[in-house]
């Protein structure tokens, strides 16, 4: 769109923006941000913190997975992935949405997991109380 004098229209507020030109037209390539350098000790510390997570997952798959239905497995995996500092803090509605279950289906799966000893409810949330907190276990009573 141009005005009758051949100039592009001036829009209010656009005078402060830099010109929109491709990098090749400017003659310089944009500088890429350098990735932050990690020390070797930081990588080792992270590996030590996460080393046990695969052990728990392997134990669950090898010893427990076969006796569970699809909804129970999905809920356990969601809670396991959400675990921070030993507990998972998630609402039943969020669990149901991510597992492809209704809220009632998620509640039933949580109840079945708790009855099997694969889950402990630390705090029962609710309306005006926040999300529930759960402790996830790889096999019954571990």
């Amino acid at each position: 769109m141009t005005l009758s004098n051949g100039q592009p229209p001036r829009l209010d507020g656009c005078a402060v923006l830099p010109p929109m030109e491709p990098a090749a037209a400017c003659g310089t390539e944009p500088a890429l941000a350098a990735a932050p350098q990690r020390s070797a000790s930081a990588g080792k510390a992270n590996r030590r913190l996460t080393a046990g997570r695969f052990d728990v997952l392997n134990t669950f798959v090898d010893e427990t997975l076969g006796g569970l239905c699809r909804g129970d497995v999905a809920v356990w995996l969601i809670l396991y992935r959400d675990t921070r500092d030993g507990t998972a803090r998630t609402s039943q509605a969020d669990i149901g949405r991510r597992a492809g279950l209704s809220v009632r289906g998620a509640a039933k799966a949580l109840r079945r997991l708790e009855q099997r000893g694969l889950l402990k409810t630390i705090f029962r949330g609710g309306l005006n109380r926040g999300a529930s907190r759960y402790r996830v276990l790889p096999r019954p009573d571990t």
Side-chain angles (χ1 to χ4, degrees):
M1 182 167 113
T2 60
L3 299 176
S4 60
N5 63 2
Q7 296 289 328
R10 182 179 170 113
L11 300 175
D12 292 334
C14 291
V16 295
L17 296 176
M20 298 290 290
E21 297 179 62
C26 295
T28 61
E29 291 294 321
L32 297 176
Q37 297 295 321
R38 292 185 178 177
S39 66
S41 62
K44 288 180 183 177
N46 285 340
R47 273 185 253 137
R48 273 180 278 169
L49 292 174
T50 59
R53 288 191 59 88
F54 279 109
D55 292 337
V56 171
L57 205 58
N58 289 336
T59 301
F60 175 74
V61 169
D62 293 340
E63 299 178 15
T64 311
L65 183 71
L68 301 176
C69 68
R70 179 223 173 262
D72 296 351
V73 172
V75 169
W76 190 92
L77 287 171
I78 288 168
L79 289 173
Y80 180 70
R81 192 181 79 173
D82 288 351
T83 299
R84 302 286 181 266
D85 299 326
T87 60
R89 185 177 183 269
T90 310
S91 69
Q92 289 181 3
D94 188 46
I95 293 169
R97 179 187 55 80
R98 292 192 286 163
L101 301 170
S102 64
V103 176
R104 180 176 273 179
K108 286 180 180 179
L110 288 167
R111 196 168 35 251
R112 285 191 300 264
L113 288 171
E114 196 160 5
Q115 287 171 351
R116 286 179 175 246
L118 297 171
L119 185 71
K120 289 186 181 179
T121 303
I122 305 300
F123 172 77
R124 177 87 50 198
L127 189 61
N128 297 326
R129 294 192 322 168
S132 297
R133 284 192 291 271
Y134 306 97
R135 177 158 291 124
V136 181
L137 306 168
R139 61 177 162 248
D141 302 318
T142 57

